[in-house]
Amino acid sequence: MAFETTLTGVLAFGALCAGLACAAPAAATPGLNERVVADPASGIALFGYDPVAYFTEGRPVLGKRVFEAEWGGAAWRFASAANRAVFLSAPEVYAPQFGGYDPLAVARGRAAAGHPQVFAVLRDRLYLFRSPDARDSFADPAPAVAEWPAVERDLTP
C-alpha cells in the first residue's frame, strides 16, 4: 500500500510537473504575439517555415527546431545554421511584410493571416497571402503599407 501511495504520488507529481512545463512555455512562447503570423499551438512564426528559404530556394521549406532563433517577439525556425545567421543579420529583409498577414486584407484595414505556402517575393520582400487568388491580384504594396500601422495597433504584442 505504501508503494502504491508513493507511486501514485510520484505519478501525480510527474503529471503536475509535466503540465506546468507545458503551460509555462505556452504562456511565455514568443510566437503568441499576434503581430507575427504563427502556429497557435506552438507559437512558431510562419508555422515553422524558414523565411530565408523563400529567397534562396524560391519555395517554402520547413525549418528545424535545432536552428531556432527569437526575433520580434516570435520564435523562428530555419533549415540551416547559415539561414539562421543570414536572417539574424537582416531580419527586416527576410521576415514577411506585415507580419505575414495578407497585404490585400491589410490594405482593407483587416488582419487576415497569410498562408506560408501561398507567397510571393516582390521587390526583395516576402509577402504571404490567404489564397492563390489574393496572390494573383496583388500588384502594389503601397495601400497595405499605408494601413499597416492602424492594423498593427489592434494586434496583441
Side-chain angles (χ1 to χ4, degrees):
M1 183 168 209
F3 175 75
E4 287 178 13
T5 304
T6 304
L7 181 58
T8 302
V10 168
L11 291 174
F13 181 74
L16 175 64
C17 289
L20 290 175
C22 290
T29 300
L32 295 179
N33 151 9
E34 289 182 343
R35 293 188 176 171
V36 174
V37 171
D39 179 343
S42 68
I44 303 296
L46 299 181
F47 291 81
Y49 284 90
D50 178 341
V52 175
Y54 291 97
F55 294 88
T56 60
E57 297 193 32
R59 64 185 179 89
V61 175
L62 278 172
K64 299 175 184 172
R65 185 177 193 170
V66 68
F67 302 123
E68 195 169 294
E70 186 176 330
W71 176 79
W76 301 77
R77 289 196 176 159
F78 305 90
S80 68
N83 281 9
R84 180 180 57 199
V86 166
F87 178 86
L88 292 173
S89 72
E92 305 81 18
V93 171
Y94 294 100
Q97 298 300 289
F98 317 117
Y101 290 95
D102 184 311
L104 296 178
V106 171
R108 293 181 186 108
R110 296 185 341 229
H115 192 288
Q117 293 184 345
V118 184
F119 73 97
V121 174
L122 179 67
R123 299 181 198 133
D124 296 322
R125 294 292 184 255
L126 173 61
Y127 298 92
L128 301 182
F129 300 88
R130 56 195 163 158
S131 71
D133 288 341
R135 179 188 54 210
D136 295 345
S137 64
F138 179 67
D140 182 14
V145 169
E147 287 295 321
W148 177 241
V151 172
E152 185 179 33
R153 258 192 311 274
D154 292 337
L155 299 172
T156 303

